Amino acid sequence: MSIEIRHAVGAGGVNRRPDVMLIQILLNLAYPTGSAEPLLKVDGMAGPRTAKAIRQFQGDAIAMMHPDGRVDPGGKTFQYLTMYLSTQHEKAIAQAMAGDFSVLKRLTRVKKDPVTSAGLANYSVNYSSRLSASKHVVSEYAKQIVRVALKQAGMSHAVITSTIRTPEEQARIMLRNAKIDLAAQYRLYGRNGDAVLDVFKENKTKTDAEIVSLMVSKIESLEDNGKRVSKHCVSLDLYKKRNVFDIGFNSTKTANRKFNPERLAKAFSDLKREGYIATFIDETRKSNKAWHLEVKVGAKPISKIDDGSILNTVNWINKKAVA
Amino acid sequence: MKASSLWSLPLLLSAVIFSSACVAEPRCQYSPDFVSSNYSEPVGEGVQGVLVQREDPTSGETVKSLTLSYPNGDVAVITHKYCEMYNFEVNYFRSSGSNAFDSAQVGSVLMKLFDAYSQVQAEFTPGLDEIVASAFDEQMAVAQQQFSVGLSEDYVVDSPGVEYAVGMKSIGDVSSDFGSVINFYWGVGGL
């Protein structure tokens, strides 16, 4: 079942009955009473109690400065209302919309603090199963930055597919991507990376194993002269100061029920502009199919709030959750 | 306007449109006009500059070069290559009749060129001239007349993620005009 409304609900909305019913159900799920009586009666009538509950939610979960008491199709309030729905929730909603409220009532009896659930704790940033434990070196600070981006994008999971690399891992990745689009790789690497790509270009007729071996030799000879080929390919000490990692497009897509790549890219761009992310390269339309992020650990305290910062929401919610 | 000129106008326009489409094809973080007119101003009295703009055939990156000819016969070629990342490179050709090698002077020259022409600047601690001079002293001490070494990012304040290097190569055996070439590379962004 697709959870969506056709027209706006609440103050100034069209208030089509099925749309109002759905919003009332979603608000009941967001504010479980812990008793048999839900917050709102699901009658499809948009009265002052429904508008008040929408405003309450807009303040609690989205930290809107001026809650307007209205839910637009696909808008931010709707996005936040549906962010945490499980398959179980969706089934219960479908049944309720058909007139059977039994399962939904059980769900709303479980008291769950909506403020806490709107914080960052529910967003997961995990490593791909292909990454060994020795590669699990991304700082908690960097993960929090990614969680903020997930929240802004209305997504719940991000999967880290690449962190620190050995010369051999670097060579294999460059070989794979160079085979797909060599010109794009030349654009993405500096002079040292280009020298390694030249090795690929000059030895295309050899086997992959031979090419990788030659590329590794080139990477190591450059490193001997203090030159790094990729920001992924550095010492652990340097890596700990500056986390360089990729969020995989396909694995993140698989992990999310709601997947908004454009919104996630925008959130990363916003966080870069605010100084939380040092470098962001959207490679999702390139051979690597990933979001490349570089985070200088502790560069800017996550609690720091600037006017208009996208962290305002998160800080406000987290403060309220702590209080 | 003559009829022949009118006839050639569509051809000219289509050539311009085709040419800009080629340059703009990759989605670049740095647009082709990122390096603008100020890369063309020669710095220093009696210095003459020649500009060349092209597209890198391998990568499609925009390449803008300025060749500076100094009164003492030295020549500096300053190159900006960019799209996803910004690459700045100086190749400073020392004329055969140049004075004895002075690492402090080389550091000073490269720093001035970097300050004057690099479109992405940074603060260095210590100064870039000292970093370069120190690298040259270190390499010369082990009798390396030809080298290329990476320099530490730790010296770059609030580094935006850079790689930079200096090097030197003797070319006296292949050039009658120049004894050696000094290279400085500065790359910002990328992977």
Side-chain angles (χ1 to χ4, degrees):
Chain A
M1 176 201 171
S2 67
I3 305 287
E4 56 191 344
I5 52 172
R6 280 169 57 186
H7 299 287
V9 170
V14 172
N15 291 317
R16 193 175 146 263
R17 191 166 181 274
D19 292 339
V20 177
M21 279 178 71
L22 178 59
I23 297 304
Q24 287 170 331
I25 289 168
L26 291 171
L27 285 165
N28 285 340
L29 283 169
Y31 291 101
T33 57
S35 72
E37 286 304 310
L39 176 77
L40 298 168
K41 190 177 171 190
V42 182
D43 56 6
M45 308 283 281
R49 290 189 68 180
T50 301
K52 185 183 170 192
I54 294 171
R55 276 196 294 275
Q56 169 93 26
F57 180 81
Q58 288 173 328
D60 288 347
I62 318 173
M64 274 190 189
M65 295 293 280
H66 304 289
D68 59 6
R70 173 178 153 140
V71 185
D72 290 310
K76 200 162 191 173
T77 306
F78 189 76
Q79 185 190 320
Y80 274 70
L81 273 169
T82 53
M83 201 178 283
Y84 302 101
L85 294 180
S86 62
T87 311
Q88 186 191 19
H89 282 123
E90 287 190 359
K91 278 183 187 164
I93 290 167
Q95 284 178 354
M97 293 296 283
D100 175 6
F101 287 82
S102 56
V103 180
L104 192 71
K105 276 185 178 171
R106 277 207 305 277
L107 289 173
T108 54
R109 270 181 214 152
V110 181
K111 186 84 176 153
K112 187 177 154 199
D113 179 1
V115 174
T116 304
S117 71
L120 290 179
N122 284 0
Y123 296 85
S124 68
V125 181
N126 298 323
Y127 294 96
S128 160
S129 56
R130 289 181 188 171
L131 278 183
S132 64
S134 64
K135 307 286 180 189
H136 296 191
V137 286
V138 175
S139 64
E140 190 53 34
Y141 175 84
K143 286 184 185 173
Q144 280 291 80
I145 300 296
V146 175
R147 288 187 189 107
V148 172
L150 286 173
K151 184 173 179 59
Q152 287 303 116
M155 290 165 53
S156 55
H157 293 75
V159 180
I160 298 171
T161 50
S162 184
T163 61
I164 193 168
R165 296 173 188 160
T166 62
E168 184 169 349
E169 289 163 342
Q170 181 62 35
R172 287 190 186 284
I173 286 168
M174 290 179 85
L175 172 66
R176 184 195 67 193
N177 293 335
K179 279 181 173 179
I180 299 168
D181 189 346
L182 181 59
Q185 292 303 297
Y186 273 115
R187 287 194 291 275
L188 284 164
Y189 285 98
R191 192 173 70 174
N192 304 327
D194 288 355
V196 179
L197 292 168
D198 287 342
V199 172
F200 162 77
K201 196 179 168 186
E202 289 156 12
N203 295 279
K204 275 182 180 173
T205 54
K206 293 192 167 73
T207 65
D208 282 4
E210 287 171 325
I211 300 171
V212 166
S213 172
L214 291 168
M215 290 169 92
V216 168
S217 298
K218 187 69 186 176
I219 293 169
E220 287 174 345
S221 75
L222 287 163
E223 285 181 344
D224 287 346
N225 287 304
K227 296 175 181 176
R228 67 160 164 71
V229 167
S230 162
K231 292 168 191 165
H232 285 277
C233 204
V234 294
S235 70
L236 187 57
D237 282 347
L238 194 60
Y239 189 90
K240 282 178 178 172
K241 290 181 198 166
R242 187 185 182 93
N243 293 168
V244 179
F245 56 103
D246 293 348
I247 304 284
F249 181 90
N250 289 330
S251 40
T252 297
K253 185 180 180 183
T254 306
N256 281 278
R257 293 175 63 251
K258 292 178 186 300
F259 184 61
N260 301 310
E262 291 82 14
R263 284 187 186 177
L264 187 62
K266 185 182 181 306
F268 286 143
S269 294
D270 288 344
L271 286 161
K272 178 176 180 278
R273 196 175 54 249
E274 291 188 29
Y276 292 96
I277 292 174
T279 302
F280 164 54
I281 300 174
D282 189 345
E283 293 184 82
T284 55
R285 289 189 180 88
K286 295 169 188 158
S287 46
N288 200 23
K289 293 219 81 171
W291 291 281
H292 172 91
L293 299 171
E294 294 170 29
V295 175
K296 205 170 170 184
V297 179
K300 188 173 175 181
I302 205 159
S303 58
K304 191 175 167 76
I305 302 175
D306 298 332
D307 281 346
S309 167
I310 70 169
L311 291 185
N312 270 323
T313 313
V314 174
N315 278 291
W316 192 90
I317 289 165
N318 285 343
K319 258 189 232 164
K320 193 165 177 180
V322 170
Chain B
M1 189 181 279
K2 287 180 184 175
S4 60
S5 306
L6 280 172
W7 183 82
S8 61
L9 191 61
L11 276 179
L12 180 66
L13 279 175
S14 62
V16 168
I17 290 163
F18 178 72
S19 150
S20 25
C22 286
V23 170
E25 192 195 355
R27 292 177 63 211
C28 298
Q29 182 166 346
Y30 298 99
S31 66
D33 58 358
F34 174 69
V35 176
S36 54
S37 57
N38 67 345
Y39 86 104
S40 65
E41 298 292 328
V43 173
E45 201 174 324
V47 182
Q48 293 188 327
V50 176
L51 290 167
V52 176
Q53 179 175 343
R54 65 186 174 90
E55 187 182 301
D56 186 306
T58 310
S59 64
E61 290 164 292
T62 302
V63 181
K64 293 185 180 180
S65 292
L66 170 66
T67 302
L68 299 174
S69 300
Y70 293 89
N72 68 352
D74 290 356
V75 168
V77 181
I78 294 150
T79 306
H80 313 260
K81 187 167 88 163
Y82 53 94
C83 173
E84 290 288 352
M85 65 177 292
Y86 174 70
N87 302 273
F88 174 81
E89 192 162 14
V90 175
N91 279 301
Y92 191 94
F93 294 83
R94 299 180 75 238
S95 65
S96 307
S98 288
N99 298 331
F101 189 86
D102 179 344
S103 56
Q105 190 193 23
V106 169
S108 171
V109 166
L110 289 180
M111 187 181 74
K112 279 179 188 166
L113 290 172
F114 176 83
D115 288 347
Y117 294 107
S118 174
Q119 300 297 296
V120 181
Q121 290 287 328
E123 186 186 337
F124 296 87
T125 305
L128 181 59
D129 52 345
E130 286 183 51
I131 297 166
V132 170
S134 165
F136 270 86
D137 285 340
E138 204 173 295
Q139 295 300 321
M140 296 302 204
V142 289
Q144 293 242 32
Q145 295 300 315
Q146 296 204 172
F147 66 90
S148 177
V149 289
L151 300 171
S152 172
E153 199 175 336
D154 290 345
Y155 299 139
V156 187
V157 179
D158 291 330
S159 169
V162 300
E163 53 186 276
Y164 66 124
V166 288
M168 188 168 85
K169 191 176 181 182
S170 297
I171 54 169
D173 53 343
V174 292
S175 168
S176 53
D177 295 325
F178 304 105
S180 61
V181 57
I182 291 161
N183 174 269
F184 174 79
Y185 170 76
W186 169 254
V188 181
L191 300 179

